[in-house]
Amino acid sequence: MKATRKITLVVLAVLLLAVGVCFAGCGKDEGTLVVGTNAAFEPFEFKDTNSPSGYGGIDMEMAQLIADELGLKLKIEDMEFTTLLGAMASGKCDIVIAGMSIKPERLENADFSTPYYKANQMIVVKADSTIASSADLKDKKVGVQSGTTGADSADALAADTANYGTLTVEKYRKGADAIMALKSGNIDAVVIDEEVAKKFIQNNDGLKDAGTLDTNEEYCIAVKKGDTEMLDKINGVLDKIMNDGRLDAIIEKYIPAE
Ligand code: ARG
């Protein structure tokens, strides 16, 4: 075979392969809504082997509802909280549902849906702790999940040295890691979203809350920046399930009214 002919064949083969890969790749994602989350945030998202998706919680049931409403299959991508918006920007997921609070810095990297839940931060301490409110965090070690609004709140206290002295902030990959550090006495308190704090207190012996930090946060679904088509679809479904009571029913299932 002549060299030029050989090259032509190789080029053709590569082209065919590329087209094949594209079809396989495009076909695979068609009809599927890929939702990014960090499934270490009960009652919003947690691993649940009894659930068909492998995940339970308010956000995960809401994700299923959204997929159903849009006529799509649901796929959950569980990843580190700090990597979620970057992963979405690079196409690893279509939307992010992760109890994620809307805040200005995040709006630079994503668009946010209508809020679906309001939240504050809560201080978790050991049952025998003398810390009873945020004022008592002066000179203390506070644990948080890195990249979260809980971390922002703790950092803000630490910056206020006039009131909080040498308060230091320890950052952990997961809320559960911060709770473990608290239980083993490495830190004095954990600051984390209120409902998640309550779950940790419920599920662990020897913990109590020491009040809240009223941060008035709003959880939203994040979509790719500029993807108005997706944003409109998501807001459409949210509007529907907020008005027909389906969202309230899911919330009530995981956070029974007291
Ligand atoms: N609401 C907080 C934030 O936006 C914490 C969210 C953490 N979510 C999670 N799935 N781990 O930063």
Side-chain angles (χ1 to χ4, degrees):
M1 214 185 282
K2 272 200 198 131
T4 46
R5 185 112 179 257
K6 222 172 183 175
I7 290 169
T8 315
L9 276 176
V10 168
V11 167
L12 265 177
V14 168
L15 276 177
L16 275 175
L17 198 74
V19 169
V21 164
C22 176
F23 271 126
C26 304
K28 197 186 66 195
D29 289 332
E30 212 167 273
T32 303
L33 180 70
V34 185
V35 175
T37 196
N38 170 241
F41 203 63
E42 199 184 341
F44 292 91
E45 43 263 343
F46 53 94
K47 293 201 177 80
D48 179 5
T49 44
N50 296 319
S51 147
S53 71
Y55 299 93
I58 294 166
D59 287 347
M60 299 296 95
E61 293 207 16
M62 191 170 70
Q64 186 63 62
L65 260 186
I66 292 171
D68 291 348
E69 285 288 324
L70 299 178
L72 301 169
K73 281 208 200 86
L74 175 66
K75 185 167 190 287
I76 303 293
E77 285 289 351
D78 185 16
M79 51 190 120
E80 297 286 312
F81 186 75
T82 48
T83 66
L84 283 166
L85 294 186
M88 179 169 68
S90 69
K92 282 201 190 72
C93 57
D94 302 313
I95 61 175
V96 167
I97 313 185
M100 190 176 273
S101 309
I102 186 168
K103 63 168 192 164
E105 295 92 320
R106 289 178 181 160
L107 280 167
E108 284 166 22
N109 303 307
D111 289 335
F112 283 75
S113 73
T114 316
Y116 64 89
Y117 195 82
K118 288 194 190 323
N120 286 307
Q121 297 294 315
M122 185 171 252
I123 303 163
V124 183
V125 295
K126 281 216 218 177
D128 59 4
S129 172
T130 55
I131 298 171
S133 76
S134 63
D136 300 328
L137 293 176
K138 182 170 193 281
D139 301 334
K140 297 288 195 268
K141 268 193 189 167
V142 176
V144 296
Q145 180 180 18
S146 50
T148 62
T149 47
D152 295 343
S153 303
D155 283 339
L157 298 185
D160 179 5
T161 51
N163 288 305
Y164 294 95
T166 59
L167 184 159
T168 53
V169 182
E170 301 282 338
K171 298 192 169 139
Y172 299 88
R173 278 182 51 230
K174 295 187 291 178
D177 295 342
I179 293 292
M180 231 145 67
L182 175 66
K183 287 172 87 173
S184 59
N186 294 336
I187 55 175
D188 305 297
V190 171
V191 171
I192 195 158
D193 297 45
E194 179 165 7
E195 293 306 331
V196 180
K198 287 183 183 165
K199 273 288 164 207
F200 278 125
I201 293 169
Q202 235 175 62
N203 297 341
N204 291 272
D205 283 333
L207 298 180
K208 65 175 181 187
D209 83 82
T212 57
L213 301 172
D214 294 332
T215 48
N216 297 311
E217 296 170 43
E218 292 180 315
Y219 293 172
C220 301
I221 296 173
V223 310
K224 264 174 231 157
K225 200 160 177 57
D227 190 351
T228 48
E229 196 185 324
M230 181 61 91
L231 186 61
D232 289 349
K233 282 190 199 164
I234 298 294
N235 280 337
V237 178
L238 278 178
D239 192 56
K240 196 168 168 188
I241 65 174
M242 279 178 184
N243 284 313
D244 67 11
R246 280 185 288 171
L247 182 61
D248 280 343
I250 294 174
I251 293 173
E252 171 77 12
K253 172 175 168 188
Y254 289 94
I255 307 174
E258 281 147 28

